[in-house]
Amino acid sequence: MHIQPVKQLKGTLKVPGDKSISHRSIMFGALAKGTTTVEGFLTGEDCLSTIACFRQMGIHIEQVQDKVTIQGKGLYGLTKPNSILDVGNSGTTMRLMSGILSGQSFEVNITGDASIRKRPMDRIIRPLTSMNANISSLSGNGLAPLSIKPSLLKPIDYISPVASAQVKSSILLANLYTGSTSTVKEPTLSRNHSEIMLNHFGAHVEINGSLVTSHPIKELFANHVVVPSDISSAAFFMVAGLICPNSDLILKDVGINPTRDGIIHVLKEMNGSIEVIDKRVVNGEPIADLHIKSSKLKGTIVEGDIIPTLIDEIPVIAVAAAYAEGTTIIKDAGELKVKETNRIDTMVSELKKMNIHIEATADGMIIVGGNRIQGAHVQSYDDHRVAMSLAIAALGANGHTRIENSGCIAISYPTFESDLSSLIHI
Ligand code: S3P
């Protein structure tokens, strides 16, 4: 991808559907009785991997652009796939599906791409094993490929060492097969889309702060799902609108679930002009339009309980920090090291190439803003959010930027480049 600096960004944009919610709509639709319909589905490669896996397990799924119809067969309707399930680059597919597969009466193996095969799976293997699941890492090192064999699951009261919606959801899904009550306590609350959507499908999941309780149910029931626009994709345009001069953007129908909206708080704290307009609730998920205007940003400290609510947005927050006056410190974000890439290392190495003052710390990064940012030849390391963050950094740089391996953007935002072009006024 080649990016030239721009003079201003103007217009209205509806970014594609939320990735986390799109995955869940397929999984829960497959496990529900009856026909589930989805609108606003994200057609990114990760969510298409989820569709492919459930098709392999005998679920009829029709997908035409962002509209999906799933013929759910109930909790016990999946059938043994003919070959290994491949989640591609998608951690959500691997970890949530492992919870579901632990409760099936057939044996299955799951794998994914080179990045997924380096990401920790012991964080789900451990609690699922405590639930009596027969799940193991095929090479015995806590990494995928995983093998899951049939077993009789039992409930768990799990105190999670990490605020991870993928871990929490994996346990909630496995609990559907225990006929009993399980609880998950997190150090701080992670995104709660599973809890909200499971209840929308007739489950009984209670949320008390960072404690979630899953009560026994007999069936899930098909429903209609409207997927909000993904705040993690909107984040790129929030930062772009703030750092490019004379900009004025409206981002439509963005999911602003409080477990996901940390970036709005941080950018406002940095003096960003972001107005949240017309708040409403769809399928239990809060959404709003966001009005973004160019702003003179200042540095800030991002730490503590807010981190899980903006974990995927930290790469682009680092870009905002580079365009801000003063120093920004990001702490308590060690989880960044186990994302699609080690996002502390990849962002620090590539932003440095753009003449940005940025240093890695043990659990985050320190960015000193205000330097003249230089266009450069940079690398995505096949990490979609790194690629898009670098594209945003390039918009206000001096000179041209070339981003290698930008094809990975299709994992979460296939229309990123054309959406960006539609707002550019050179
Ligand atoms: C996700 C949870 C988060 C997030 C990922 C999607 C989900 O991961 O980073 O992009 O859909 O549950 P963790 O559960 O590892 O924090």
Side-chain angles (χ1 to χ4, degrees):
M1 181 182 283
H2 293 265
I3 306 269
Q4 298 288 356
V6 301
K7 292 234 167 58
Q8 64 171 178
L9 294 175
K10 256 193 185 350
T12 298
L13 177 65
K14 182 174 161 76
V15 303
D18 188 276
K19 183 153 80 70
S20 294
I21 296 176
S22 295
H23 281 301
R24 285 158 174 81
S25 70
I26 302 301
M27 297 187 193
F28 304 174
L31 299 181
K33 272 238 149 87
T35 304
T36 286
T37 43
V38 185
E39 60 181 289
F41 181 79
L42 170 65
T43 57
E45 287 168 6
D46 267 9
C47 299
L48 297 180
S49 293
T50 295
I51 290 188
C53 288
F54 281 85
R55 279 185 177 147
Q56 266 185 271
M57 291 188 285
I59 302 297
H60 185 78
I61 303 173
E62 236 176 63
Q63 179 242 324
V64 182
Q65 285 153 7
D66 71 341
K67 306 258 186 307
V68 185
T69 307
I70 307 140
Q71 307 296 342
K73 297 211 283 188
L75 288 176
Y76 299 92
L78 301 180
T79 51
K80 184 176 166 63
N82 291 329
S83 54
I84 191 163
L85 295 173
D86 186 347
V87 303
N89 191 245
S90 176
T92 304
T93 312
M94 173 142 307
R95 296 200 178 108
L96 269 64
M97 208 165 61
S98 294
I100 296 170
L101 295 174
S102 294
Q104 304 305 314
S105 57
F106 52 82
E107 179 178 348
V108 62
N109 290 343
I110 326 176
T111 191
D113 70 8
S115 152
I116 214 78
R117 284 185 270 112
K118 285 196 211 117
R119 298 181 64 187
M121 292 301 148
D122 44 356
R123 53 176 61 195
I124 55 152
I125 294 175
R126 243 178 275 123
L128 291 174
T129 303
S130 301
M131 295 178 83
N132 203 37
N134 192 347
I135 177 169
S136 58
S137 153
L138 280 173
S139 38
N141 54 2
L143 304 178
L146 302 180
S147 145
I148 303 179
K149 294 180 179 151
S151 65
L152 213 55
L153 295 186
K154 59 175 201 205
I156 190 173
D157 290 310
Y158 190 60
I159 299 181
S160 181
V162 56
S164 159
Q166 294 178 355
V167 171
K168 172 175 61 179
S169 304
S170 186
I171 296 167
L172 293 178
L173 288 165
N175 191 61
L176 295 172
Y177 297 93
T178 65
S180 196
T181 301
S182 285
T183 58
V184 183
K185 171 86 180 136
E186 298 187 278
T188 44
L189 179 65
S190 66
R191 64 190 67 192
N192 60 6
H193 306 302
S194 292
E195 295 89 308
I196 291 173
M197 202 190 292
L198 280 169
N199 285 337
H200 184 59
F201 278 77
H204 184 185
V205 181
E206 258 179 275
I207 311 174
N208 291 302
S210 60
L211 175 74
V212 50
T213 306
S214 158
H215 295 284
I217 49 147
K218 293 235 155 17
E219 285 293 354
L220 292 175
F221 298 100
N223 213 322
H224 181 62
V225 178
V226 180
V227 182
S229 292
D230 197 330
I231 190 166
S232 299
S233 298
F236 300 110
F237 295 101
M238 288 183 212
V239 173
L242 296 177
I243 65 172
C244 293
N246 310 311
S247 296
D248 192 320
L249 298 179
I250 301 276
L251 303 172
K252 299 290 291 178
D253 305 331
V254 179
I256 53 159
N257 180 317
T259 63
R260 294 283 301 283
D261 71 349
I263 184 163
I264 298 180
H265 297 291
V266 166
L267 293 176
K268 278 187 170 174
E269 169 72 29
M270 293 176 82
N271 203 35
S273 171
I274 303 183
E275 201 187 341
V276 179
I277 308 164
D278 193 13
K279 281 192 197 173
R280 52 226 188 261
V281 175
V282 177
N283 297 152
E285 290 283 352
I287 67 169
D289 300 338
L290 304 179
H291 185 190
I292 318 289
K293 288 196 274 192
S294 316
S295 304
K296 209 168 158 28
L297 298 178
K298 61 181 176 66
T300 189
I301 298 181
V302 189
E303 62 181 340
D305 288 359
I306 201 170
I307 294 292
T309 72
L310 47 68
I311 190 72
D312 291 343
E313 289 67 73
I314 291 177
V316 79
I317 289 174
V319 171
Y323 281 89
E325 274 303 318
T327 301
T328 294
I329 302 173
I330 300 170
K331 294 187 203 170
D332 304 320
E335 274 294 295
L336 287 179
K337 295 179 183 172
V338 291
K339 295 296 178 189
E340 285 82 333
T341 58
N342 177 333
R343 285 182 175 158
I344 297 178
D345 287 354
T346 46
M347 286 307 297
V348 167
S349 111
E350 299 316 287
L351 290 182
K352 271 190 171 164
K353 292 180 185 165
M354 301 183 79
N355 198 35
I356 290 169
H357 282 184
I358 179 166
E359 294 301 332
T361 62
D363 63 352
M365 39 191 129
I366 299 176
I367 305 111
V368 182
N371 231 26
R372 185 84 180 103
I373 296 167
Q374 229 14 83
H377 182 181
V378 290
Q379 178 54 256
S380 75
Y381 299 94
D382 280 325
D383 183 332
H384 53 128
R385 298 203 200 282
V386 169
M388 289 184 276
S389 299
L390 294 171
I392 300 306
L395 294 175
N398 191 20
H400 164 258
T401 294
R402 171 172 155 185
I403 306 168
E404 291 299 335
N405 295 330
S406 61
C408 57
I409 288 173
I411 284 168
S412 67
Y413 197 162
T415 54
F416 173 76
E417 201 169 354
S418 55
D419 283 358
L420 177 58
S421 301
S422 75
L423 302 172
I424 291 178
H425 294 250
I426 294 180

Coordinates of all heavy atoms in Angstrom, one line a residue, residues 256-309:
I256 N -20.5 1.1 20.8 CA -19.8 1.8 21.9 C -20.0 1.1 23.2 O -20.1 1.7 24.3 CB -20.2 3.3 22.0 CG1 -21.8 3.4 22.1 CG2 -19.7 4.1 20.8 CD1 -22.2 4.7 22.7
N257 N -20.1 -0.3 23.2 CA -20.2 -1.1 24.4 C -19.1 -0.6 25.4 O -17.9 -0.4 24.9 CB -20.0 -2.5 24.0 CG -20.0 -3.5 25.1 OD1 -19.5 -3.2 26.2 ND2 -20.7 -4.6 24.9
P258 N -19.4 -0.3 26.6 CA -18.4 0.2 27.6 C -17.2 -0.7 27.8 O -16.2 -0.3 28.2 CB -19.2 0.3 28.9 CG -20.6 0.1 28.6 CD -20.8 -0.4 27.2
T259 N -17.3 -2.0 27.4 CA -16.2 -2.9 27.5 C -15.2 -2.7 26.3 O -14.2 -3.4 26.1 CB -16.6 -4.4 27.6 OG1 -17.3 -4.8 26.4 CG2 -17.4 -4.6 28.8
R260 N -15.6 -1.8 25.3 CA -14.8 -1.6 24.1 C -14.5 -0.2 23.8 O -13.8 0.1 22.9 CB -15.7 -2.1 22.9 CG -15.9 -3.6 22.9 CD -14.7 -4.4 22.4 NE -14.2 -4.1 21.1 CZ -14.8 -4.5 20.0 NH1 -15.9 -5.2 20.0 NH2 -14.3 -4.1 18.8
D261 N -15.0 0.8 24.6 CA -15.0 2.2 24.2 C -13.8 3.0 24.8 O -13.9 4.2 24.7 CB -16.3 2.9 24.5 CG -16.5 3.1 26.0 OD1 -15.8 2.5 26.8 OD2 -17.5 3.8 26.4
G262 N -12.8 2.3 25.3 CA -11.7 3.0 26.0 C -11.0 4.0 25.1 O -10.6 5.1 25.5
I263 N -11.0 3.7 23.8 CA -10.3 4.6 22.9 C -11.0 6.0 22.8 O -10.3 7.0 22.7 CB -10.1 4.1 21.4 CG1 -9.3 5.1 20.6 CG2 -11.5 3.8 20.8 CD1 -8.8 4.6 19.3
I264 N -12.3 6.0 23.0 CA -13.0 7.3 23.0 C -12.6 8.1 24.2 O -12.2 9.3 24.1 CB -14.5 7.1 22.9 CG1 -14.9 6.4 21.7 CG2 -15.3 8.5 23.1 CD1 -16.5 6.1 21.5
H265 N -12.5 7.5 25.3 CA -12.1 8.2 26.6 C -10.7 8.7 26.4 O -10.4 9.8 26.8 CB -12.2 7.2 27.8 CG -13.6 6.8 28.0 ND1 -14.6 7.7 28.5 CD2 -14.2 5.6 27.9 CE1 -15.7 7.0 28.6 NE2 -15.5 5.7 28.2
V266 N -9.8 7.9 25.9 CA -8.4 8.3 25.8 C -8.2 9.4 24.8 O -7.5 10.4 25.1 CB -7.5 7.1 25.4 CG1 -6.1 7.5 25.0 CG2 -7.4 6.1 26.6
L267 N -8.8 9.3 23.7 CA -8.6 10.4 22.7 C -9.3 11.7 23.2 O -8.7 12.8 22.9 CB -9.2 10.0 21.3 CG -8.5 8.8 20.6 CD1 -9.2 8.4 19.3 CD2 -7.0 9.2 20.3
K268 N -10.4 11.6 23.9 CA -10.9 12.8 24.5 C -10.0 13.4 25.6 O -9.8 14.6 25.6 CB -12.3 12.5 25.2 CG -13.4 12.5 24.2 CD -14.7 12.3 24.9 CE -15.9 12.5 24.0 NZ -17.2 12.2 24.7
E269 N -9.4 12.6 26.4 CA -8.4 13.0 27.4 C -7.2 13.6 26.7 O -6.6 14.5 27.2 CB -8.0 11.7 28.1 CG -6.8 11.8 29.0 CD -7.1 12.5 30.3 OE1 -8.3 12.5 30.7 OE2 -6.2 13.2 30.8
M270 N -6.9 13.2 25.5 CA -5.8 13.8 24.7 C -6.2 15.1 24.0 O -5.5 15.6 23.2 CB -5.3 12.8 23.7 CG -4.6 11.6 24.3 SD -4.1 10.4 23.0 CE -2.6 11.1 22.5
N271 N -7.5 15.6 24.4 CA -8.0 16.8 23.8 C -8.6 16.6 22.4 O -8.8 17.6 21.7 CB -6.9 17.9 23.7 CG -7.4 19.3 23.7 OD1 -8.4 19.5 24.3 ND2 -6.7 20.1 22.9
G272 N -8.9 15.4 22.1 CA -9.5 15.1 20.8 C -11.0 15.5 20.7 O -11.7 15.3 21.7
S273 N -11.4 16.1 19.6 CA -12.8 16.5 19.5 C -13.6 15.3 19.0 O -13.6 15.1 17.8 CB -12.9 17.7 18.6 OG -14.3 18.0 18.3
I274 N -14.3 14.6 19.9 CA -15.1 13.5 19.5 C -16.5 13.6 20.1 O -16.6 13.7 21.4 CB -14.5 12.1 19.9 CG1 -13.1 12.0 19.4 CG2 -15.4 11.0 19.5 CD1 -12.5 10.6 19.7
E275 N -17.5 13.8 19.3 CA -18.8 13.9 19.9 C -19.6 12.6 19.6 O -19.6 12.1 18.5 CB -19.5 15.1 19.1 CG -20.7 15.7 19.9 CD -21.4 16.7 19.0 OE1 -20.8 17.2 18.0 OE2 -22.6 17.0 19.3
V276 N -20.2 12.1 20.7 CA -21.0 10.9 20.6 C -22.4 11.2 20.4 O -23.0 11.8 21.3 CB -20.8 10.0 21.9 CG1 -21.6 8.7 21.8 CG2 -19.3 9.7 22.1
I277 N -23.0 10.9 19.2 CA -24.3 11.4 18.9 C -25.3 10.3 18.8 O -25.0 9.2 18.3 CB -24.3 12.1 17.5 CG1 -23.2 13.1 17.4 CG2 -25.6 12.7 17.1 CD1 -22.8 13.5 16.0
D278 N -26.5 10.6 19.2 CA -27.7 9.7 19.0 C -27.4 8.2 19.5 O -27.5 7.3 18.8 CB -27.9 9.6 17.4 CG -29.3 9.0 17.1 OD1 -30.1 8.8 18.0 OD2 -29.5 8.7 15.9
K279 N -27.1 8.1 20.8 CA -26.9 6.8 21.4 C -28.1 6.0 21.4 O -29.2 6.5 21.7 CB -26.5 7.0 22.9 CG -25.1 7.4 23.1 CD -24.8 7.3 24.6 CE -23.5 8.0 25.0 NZ -23.3 8.1 26.4
R280 N -28.0 4.7 21.0 CA -29.2 3.8 21.0 C -28.7 2.4 21.3 O -27.5 2.2 21.3 CB -29.9 3.9 19.7 CG -29.1 3.8 18.4 CD -29.4 4.9 17.4 NE -28.8 4.6 16.1 CZ -27.6 5.2 15.7 NH1 -27.0 6.1 16.5 NH2 -27.1 4.9 14.6
V281 N -29.6 1.5 21.4 CA -29.2 0.1 21.8 C -29.8 -0.8 20.7 O -31.0 -0.7 20.4 CB -29.7 -0.3 23.2 CG1 -29.4 -1.7 23.5 CG2 -29.1 0.6 24.2
V282 N -29.0 -1.7 20.1 CA -29.4 -2.7 19.2 C -29.0 -4.1 19.7 O -27.8 -4.3 19.9 CB -28.8 -2.4 17.8 CG1 -29.2 -3.5 16.8 CG2 -29.2 -1.1 17.3
N283 N -30.0 -5.0 19.8 CA -29.7 -6.3 20.4 C -28.9 -6.3 21.7 O -28.0 -7.1 21.9 CB -28.8 -7.2 19.4 CG -29.5 -7.5 18.1 OD1 -28.8 -7.7 17.1 ND2 -30.8 -7.5 18.1
G284 N -29.2 -5.3 22.5 CA -28.5 -5.2 23.8 C -27.1 -4.6 23.7 O -26.4 -4.4 24.7
E285 N -26.7 -4.2 22.5 CA -25.4 -3.6 22.3 C -25.6 -2.1 22.0 O -26.2 -1.7 21.0 CB -24.7 -4.2 21.0 CG -24.2 -5.6 21.2 CD -22.9 -5.7 22.0 OE1 -22.3 -4.6 22.3 OE2 -22.5 -6.8 22.4
P286 N -25.0 -1.2 22.8 CA -25.1 0.3 22.6 C -24.3 0.7 21.3 O -23.2 0.2 21.1 CB -24.4 0.9 23.8 CG -23.7 -0.2 24.5 CD -24.2 -1.5 24.0
I287 N -24.9 1.6 20.5 CA -24.3 2.1 19.3 C -24.5 3.6 19.3 O -25.4 4.1 20.0 CB -24.7 1.4 18.0 CG1 -26.2 1.8 17.7 CG2 -24.5 -0.1 18.1 CD1 -26.6 1.3 16.3
A288 N -23.7 4.3 18.5 CA -23.9 5.8 18.3 C -23.1 6.2 17.0 O -22.4 5.4 16.4 CB -23.3 6.5 19.5
D289 N -23.4 7.4 16.6 CA -22.6 8.0 15.6 C -21.5 8.9 16.2 O -21.7 9.4 17.3 CB -23.5 8.9 14.7 CG -24.6 8.2 14.0 OD1 -24.5 6.9 13.9 OD2 -25.6 8.8 13.7
L290 N -20.3 9.0 15.6 CA -19.2 9.7 16.2 C -18.9 10.9 15.3 O -18.7 10.7 14.1 CB -18.0 8.8 16.4 CG -18.2 7.5 17.2 CD1 -16.9 6.7 17.3 CD2 -18.7 7.9 18.7
H291 N -18.8 12.1 15.8 CA -18.4 13.2 15.0 C -17.0 13.6 15.5 O -16.7 13.9 16.6 CB -19.4 14.4 15.3 CG -19.2 15.6 14.5 ND1 -19.8 16.8 14.7 CD2 -18.3 15.8 13.4 CE1 -19.4 17.7 13.8 NE2 -18.5 17.1 13.0
I292 N -16.1 13.6 14.5 CA -14.6 13.8 14.8 C -14.2 15.1 14.0 O -14.4 15.2 12.8 CB -13.8 12.6 14.2 CG1 -14.4 11.2 14.4 CG2 -12.3 12.7 14.6 CD1 -14.4 10.8 15.8
K293 N -13.5 15.9 14.8 CA -12.9 17.1 14.1 C -11.4 17.2 14.5 O -11.0 16.9 15.6 CB -13.6 18.4 14.6 CG -15.0 18.5 14.0 CD -15.6 19.8 14.1 CE -16.3 20.0 15.5 NZ -17.1 21.2 15.6
S294 N -10.6 17.7 13.5 CA -9.2 17.9 13.8 C -8.9 18.6 15.1 O -9.6 19.5 15.5 CB -8.5 18.9 12.8 OG -9.0 18.6 11.5
S295 N -7.9 18.1 15.8 CA -7.7 18.6 17.2 C -6.2 18.7 17.4 O -5.4 17.9 16.9 CB -8.3 17.7 18.2 OG -9.6 17.5 18.0
K296 N -5.8 19.6 18.3 CA -4.4 19.7 18.8 C -4.3 18.8 20.0 O -4.7 19.1 21.1 CB -4.1 21.1 19.2 CG -2.7 21.6 19.0 CD -2.6 23.1 19.1 CE -1.1 23.4 19.5 NZ -0.1 22.6 19.0
L297 N -3.7 17.6 19.7 CA -3.7 16.5 20.8 C -2.6 16.8 21.8 O -1.5 17.4 21.4 CB -3.5 15.2 20.1 CG -4.6 14.7 19.2 CD1 -4.3 13.3 18.6 CD2 -6.0 14.7 19.9
K298 N -2.8 16.3 23.0 CA -1.7 16.3 24.0 C -1.5 14.9 24.5 O -2.4 14.1 24.5 CB -2.0 17.3 25.1 CG -3.3 17.0 25.9 CD -3.4 18.1 26.9 CE -4.7 18.0 27.7 NZ -4.9 16.9 28.6
G299 N -0.3 14.7 25.1 CA 0.1 13.3 25.6 C -0.7 13.0 26.8 O -1.4 13.8 27.4
T300 N -0.7 11.7 27.1 CA -1.5 11.2 28.3 C -0.9 9.9 28.8 O 0.1 9.4 28.3 CB -3.0 10.9 27.8 OG1 -3.8 10.7 29.0 CG2 -3.1 9.8 26.9
I301 N -1.5 9.4 29.9 CA -1.1 8.1 30.4 C -2.2 7.1 30.2 O -3.4 7.5 30.6 CB -0.7 8.2 31.9 CG1 0.5 9.1 32.1 CG2 -0.3 6.8 32.5 CD1 1.0 9.3 33.5
V302 N -2.0 6.0 29.7 CA -3.0 5.0 29.5 C -2.6 3.7 30.3 O -1.5 3.1 30.0 CB -3.1 4.6 28.0 CG1 -4.3 3.7 27.7 CG2 -3.2 5.8 27.1
E303 N -3.4 3.4 31.3 CA -2.9 2.3 32.2 C -4.1 1.7 32.9 O -5.2 2.3 33.0 CB -1.9 2.8 33.2 CG -2.5 3.9 34.1 CD -1.6 4.5 35.1 OE1 -0.6 3.8 35.4 OE2 -1.9 5.6 35.6
G304 N -4.0 0.6 33.5 CA -4.9 0.0 34.5 C -6.1 -0.6 33.8 O -6.1 -1.2 32.7
D305 N -7.3 -0.4 34.5 CA -8.5 -1.1 34.1 C -9.0 -0.8 32.7 O -9.8 -1.5 32.1 CB -9.6 -0.9 35.1 CG -9.4 -1.5 36.4 OD1 -8.4 -2.2 36.6 OD2 -10.2 -1.4 37.4
I306 N -8.6 0.4 32.2 CA -9.1 0.8 30.8 C -8.4 -0.1 29.7 O -9.0 -0.2 28.6 CB -8.8 2.3 30.6 CG1 -9.8 2.8 29.5 CG2 -7.4 2.6 30.2 CD1 -9.8 4.3 29.3
I307 N -7.3 -0.7 30.0 CA -6.5 -1.4 29.0 C -7.4 -2.5 28.2 O -7.4 -2.5 27.0 CB -5.2 -2.0 29.6 CG1 -4.3 -0.9 30.0 CG2 -4.5 -3.0 28.6 CD1 -3.7 0.0 28.9
P308 N -8.1 -3.4 28.9 CA -8.9 -4.4 28.1 C -9.9 -3.7 27.2 O -10.3 -4.4 26.2 CB -9.5 -5.2 29.2 CG -8.8 -5.0 30.5 CD -8.2 -3.6 30.4
T309 N -10.4 -2.5 27.5 CA -11.4 -1.9 26.7 C -10.8 -1.2 25.5 O -11.6 -0.7 24.7 CB -12.2 -0.8 27.5 OG1 -11.4 0.3 27.7 CG2 -12.7 -1.4 28.9

